[in-house]
Coordinates of all heavy atoms in Angstrom, one line a residue:
L175 N -42.8 11.0 -10.9 CA -41.8 12.0 -10.8 C -41.5 12.8 -12.1 O -41.1 12.2 -13.1 CB -40.5 11.3 -10.3 CG -40.6 10.5 -9.0 CD1 -39.3 9.8 -8.7 CD2 -41.0 11.3 -7.8
A176 N -41.7 14.1 -12.0 CA -41.5 14.9 -13.2 C -40.4 15.9 -13.0 O -39.9 16.5 -14.0 CB -42.8 15.6 -13.6
S177 N -40.1 16.3 -11.8 CA -39.1 17.3 -11.5 C -38.4 16.9 -10.2 O -38.8 16.1 -9.4 CB -39.7 18.7 -11.4 OG -40.5 18.8 -10.3
A178 N -37.3 17.7 -10.0 CA -36.5 17.4 -8.7 C -37.4 17.7 -7.5 O -37.3 17.0 -6.5 CB -35.3 18.4 -8.7
A179 N -38.3 18.7 -7.6 CA -39.1 19.0 -6.4 C -40.1 17.8 -6.0 O -40.5 17.7 -4.9 CB -40.0 20.2 -6.7
D180 N -40.3 16.9 -7.0 CA -41.2 15.8 -6.7 C -40.6 14.8 -5.8 O -41.3 13.9 -5.3 CB -41.6 15.1 -8.0 CG -42.5 15.9 -8.9 OD1 -43.2 16.8 -8.3 OD2 -42.6 15.7 -10.1
L181 N -39.3 14.9 -5.5 CA -38.7 13.9 -4.6 C -39.0 14.3 -3.1 O -38.8 13.4 -2.2 CB -37.2 13.9 -4.8 CG -36.7 12.8 -5.8 CD1 -37.2 13.1 -7.2 CD2 -35.1 12.7 -5.8
V182 N -39.4 15.5 -2.9 CA -39.8 15.9 -1.5 C -41.0 15.0 -1.1 O -42.0 15.0 -1.8 CB -40.1 17.4 -1.4 CG1 -40.6 17.7 0.0 CG2 -38.9 18.2 -1.8
G183 N -40.9 14.4 0.1 CA -41.9 13.5 0.6 C -41.8 12.1 0.1 O -42.6 11.2 0.6
Q184 N -40.8 11.8 -0.7 CA -40.6 10.4 -1.1 C -39.7 9.7 -0.2 O -38.9 10.3 0.6 CB -40.0 10.4 -2.5 CG -40.9 10.9 -3.6 CD -41.9 9.9 -4.1 OE1 -41.8 8.7 -3.8 NE2 -42.9 10.4 -4.8
T185 N -39.7 8.4 -0.2 CA -38.7 7.6 0.6 C -37.4 7.6 -0.1 O -37.3 7.1 -1.2 CB -39.2 6.2 0.8 OG1 -40.5 6.2 1.5 CG2 -38.2 5.4 1.7
L186 N -36.4 8.2 0.6 CA -35.0 8.3 -0.1 C -34.1 7.2 0.6 O -34.0 7.1 1.8 CB -34.5 9.7 0.2 CG -35.3 10.8 -0.3 CD1 -34.6 12.2 0.0 CD2 -35.6 10.7 -1.8
I187 N -33.5 6.5 -0.3 CA -32.5 5.4 0.2 C -31.1 6.0 0.2 O -30.6 6.5 -0.8 CB -32.6 4.2 -0.8 CG1 -34.0 3.7 -0.8 CG2 -31.6 3.2 -0.4 CD1 -34.3 2.6 -1.8
Q188 N -30.5 5.9 1.3 CA -29.2 6.4 1.5 C -28.1 5.3 1.6 O -28.3 4.3 2.3 CB -29.1 7.2 2.8 CG -27.7 7.8 3.2 CD -27.3 8.9 2.2 OE1 -28.0 9.9 2.1 NE2 -26.2 8.7 1.5
S189 N -27.0 5.5 0.8 CA -25.8 4.6 1.0 C -24.8 5.3 1.9 O -24.3 6.3 1.5 CB -25.2 4.3 -0.4 OG -26.1 3.6 -1.2
D190 N -24.6 4.8 3.0 CA -23.8 5.5 4.0 C -22.4 5.7 3.7 O -21.7 6.6 4.1 CB -23.9 4.7 5.4 CG -25.2 4.9 6.1 OD1 -25.9 5.9 5.8 OD2 -25.6 4.0 6.9
N191 N -21.8 4.8 2.8 CA -20.4 4.9 2.5 C -20.1 5.6 1.2 O -19.0 5.6 0.7 CB -19.8 3.5 2.4 CG -19.7 2.8 3.8 OD1 -19.3 3.4 4.7 ND2 -20.1 1.6 3.9
K192 N -21.1 6.3 0.6 CA -20.8 7.0 -0.6 C -20.2 8.4 -0.3 O -20.5 9.0 0.7 CB -22.2 7.3 -1.4 CG -22.8 6.0 -1.9 CD -23.7 6.2 -3.1 CE -22.9 6.5 -4.3 NZ -22.1 5.3 -4.8
Q193 N -19.4 8.9 -1.2 CA -18.8 10.2 -1.1 C -19.8 11.3 -1.3 O -19.8 12.4 -0.7 CB -17.7 10.4 -2.1 CG -16.5 9.5 -1.8 CD -15.4 9.6 -2.9 OE1 -15.4 8.9 -3.9 NE2 -14.6 10.6 -2.8
W194 N -20.8 11.1 -2.2 CA -21.8 12.1 -2.5 C -23.2 11.5 -2.2 O -23.5 10.4 -2.6 CB -21.7 12.4 -4.0 CG -20.4 13.0 -4.4 CD1 -19.3 12.4 -4.9 CD2 -20.1 14.4 -4.3 NE1 -18.3 13.3 -5.1 CE2 -18.7 14.5 -4.8 CE3 -20.8 15.6 -3.9 CZ2 -18.1 15.7 -4.8 CZ3 -20.1 16.8 -4.0 CH2 -18.8 16.9 -4.4
R195 N -24.0 12.3 -1.4 CA -25.2 11.8 -0.9 C -26.4 12.8 -1.3 O -26.2 13.7 -2.0 CB -25.1 11.6 0.6 CG -24.0 10.7 1.0 CD -23.9 10.5 2.5 NE -22.7 9.8 3.0 CZ -22.5 9.4 4.2 NH1 -23.4 9.7 5.1 NH2 -21.4 8.8 4.5
W196 N -27.5 12.4 -0.8 CA -28.7 13.2 -1.1 C -28.6 14.7 -0.8 O -29.0 15.5 -1.6 CB -29.9 12.7 -0.3 CG -30.5 11.5 -1.0 CD1 -30.6 10.2 -0.5 CD2 -31.2 11.4 -2.3 NE1 -31.2 9.4 -1.4 CE2 -31.6 10.1 -2.5 CE3 -31.4 12.4 -3.3 CZ2 -32.3 9.7 -3.7 CZ3 -32.1 12.0 -4.4 CH2 -32.5 10.7 -4.6
P197 N -28.0 15.1 0.3 CA -27.8 16.6 0.5 C -27.1 17.3 -0.6 O -27.4 18.4 -1.0 CB -27.1 16.7 1.9 CG -27.5 15.4 2.6 CD -27.6 14.4 1.5
H198 N -26.1 16.6 -1.1 CA -25.3 17.2 -2.3 C -26.2 17.3 -3.5 O -26.2 18.3 -4.2 CB -24.1 16.3 -2.6 CG -23.1 16.2 -1.5 ND1 -23.1 15.0 -0.7 CD2 -22.2 17.0 -1.0 CE1 -22.1 15.2 0.2 NE2 -21.6 16.4 0.1
W199 N -27.0 16.3 -3.7 CA -27.9 16.4 -4.9 C -29.0 17.5 -4.8 O -29.2 18.2 -5.8 CB -28.6 15.0 -5.1 CG -29.4 14.9 -6.4 CD1 -28.9 14.5 -7.6 CD2 -30.8 15.2 -6.5 NE1 -30.0 14.6 -8.5 CE2 -31.1 15.0 -7.9 CE3 -31.8 15.6 -5.7 CZ2 -32.4 15.2 -8.4 CZ3 -33.1 15.8 -6.2 CH2 -33.4 15.6 -7.5
F200 N -29.6 17.6 -3.7 CA -30.6 18.6 -3.5 C -30.0 20.0 -3.6 O -30.6 20.9 -4.2 CB -31.3 18.5 -2.1 CG -32.4 17.4 -2.2 CD1 -32.2 16.2 -1.6 CD2 -33.6 17.7 -2.8 CE1 -33.2 15.2 -1.6 CE2 -34.6 16.7 -2.8 CZ -34.4 15.5 -2.2
E201 N -28.8 20.2 -3.0 CA -28.1 21.4 -3.1 C -27.8 21.8 -4.6 O -27.9 22.9 -5.0 CB -26.8 21.4 -2.3 CG -26.0 22.7 -2.4 CD -24.7 22.6 -1.6 OE1 -24.5 21.6 -0.8 OE2 -23.9 23.6 -1.7
A202 N -27.3 20.8 -5.4 CA -27.0 21.0 -6.8 C -28.3 21.4 -7.6 O -28.2 22.0 -8.6 CB -26.4 19.7 -7.4
N203 N -29.4 21.0 -7.1 CA -30.7 21.3 -7.8 C -31.4 22.5 -7.1 O -32.6 22.7 -7.4 CB -31.6 20.0 -7.8 CG -31.1 19.1 -8.9 OD1 -31.4 19.2 -10.1 ND2 -30.3 18.1 -8.5
G204 N -30.7 23.2 -6.2 CA -31.3 24.4 -5.7 C -32.5 24.1 -4.7 O -33.4 25.0 -4.6
L205 N -32.5 23.0 -4.0 CA -33.6 22.7 -3.1 C -33.0 22.4 -1.7 O -31.9 22.0 -1.5 CB -34.3 21.4 -3.6 CG -35.0 21.5 -5.0 CD1 -35.4 20.1 -5.4 CD2 -36.2 22.4 -4.9
A206 N -33.9 22.7 -0.7 CA -33.5 22.4 0.6 C -33.7 20.9 0.8 O -34.5 20.2 0.2 CB -34.5 23.1 1.6
V207 N -32.8 20.3 1.7 CA -32.8 18.9 1.9 C -34.1 18.6 2.7 O -34.3 19.1 3.8 CB -31.6 18.4 2.7 CG1 -31.6 16.9 3.0 CG2 -30.3 18.8 2.0
P208 N -35.0 17.7 2.2 CA -36.2 17.4 2.9 C -36.0 16.5 4.1 O -35.1 15.7 4.2 CB -37.0 16.6 1.9 CG -36.0 16.0 1.0 CD -34.9 17.0 0.9
A209 N -36.8 16.8 5.2 CA -36.7 16.0 6.4 C -37.6 14.8 6.3 O -38.7 14.8 7.0 CB -37.0 16.9 7.6
T210 N -37.3 13.9 5.5 CA -38.2 12.7 5.3 C -37.5 11.5 5.8 O -36.2 11.3 5.8 CB -38.5 12.5 3.8 OG1 -37.3 12.5 3.1 CG2 -39.4 13.7 3.3
A211 N -38.3 10.5 6.3 CA -37.7 9.2 6.7 C -37.3 8.4 5.5 O -37.8 8.6 4.4 CB -38.8 8.4 7.5
G212 N -36.2 7.6 5.6 CA -35.7 6.9 4.5 C -35.1 5.6 5.0 O -35.3 5.2 6.1
L213 N -34.4 4.9 4.1 CA -33.7 3.7 4.4 C -32.2 3.9 4.2 O -31.8 4.7 3.4 CB -34.2 2.5 3.4 CG -35.6 2.1 3.5 CD1 -35.9 1.2 2.3 CD2 -36.0 1.5 4.8
R214 N -31.4 3.2 5.0 CA -30.0 3.4 5.0 C -29.3 2.0 4.8 O -29.7 1.1 5.5 CB -29.5 4.0 6.3 CG -30.1 5.4 6.6 CD -29.6 5.9 7.9 NE -28.2 6.3 7.8 CZ -27.8 7.6 7.6 NH1 -28.7 8.6 7.5 NH2 -26.6 7.9 7.6
F215 N -28.3 2.0 3.9 CA -27.6 0.8 3.7 C -26.1 1.1 3.7 O -25.7 2.3 3.4 CB -28.0 0.1 2.4 CG -29.4 -0.4 2.3 CD1 -30.4 0.4 1.8 CD2 -29.8 -1.6 2.8 CE1 -31.7 0.0 1.7 CE2 -31.1 -2.0 2.8 CZ -32.0 -1.2 2.2
D216 N -25.3 0.1 3.9 CA -23.8 0.4 3.9 C -23.2 -0.1 2.6 O -21.9 0.0 2.5 CB -23.1 -0.3 5.1 CG -23.2 -1.8 5.1 OD1 -23.9 -2.3 4.2 OD2 -22.4 -2.5 5.8
R217 N -23.9 -0.5 1.6 CA -23.4 -0.9 0.4 C -24.3 -0.4 -0.8 O -25.6 -0.5 -0.6 CB -23.3 -2.5 0.2 CG -22.4 -3.1 1.3 CD -21.0 -2.9 1.0 NE -20.1 -3.7 1.8 CZ -19.7 -3.3 3.0 NH1 -20.1 -2.1 3.5 NH2 -18.9 -4.1 3.8
S218 N -23.8 0.0 -1.8 CA -24.6 0.5 -2.9 C -25.4 -0.6 -3.6 O -26.6 -0.3 -4.0 CB -23.7 1.1 -4.0 OG -23.1 2.4 -3.6

Side-chain angles (χ1 to χ4, degrees):
L175 305 175
S177 68
D180 290 336
L181 267 64
V182 177
Q184 295 281 346
T185 300
L186 303 180
I187 299 173
Q188 177 68 59
S189 295
D190 286 338
N191 290 315
K192 294 204 77 66
Q193 293 176 267
W194 298 92
R195 306 183 187 183
W196 280 115
H198 301 101
W199 186 87
F200 280 104
E201 181 180 351
N203 284 277
L205 296 169
V207 180
T210 54
L213 299 172
R214 303 177 71 98
F215 296 96
D216 66 347
R217 300 286 189 273
S218 287

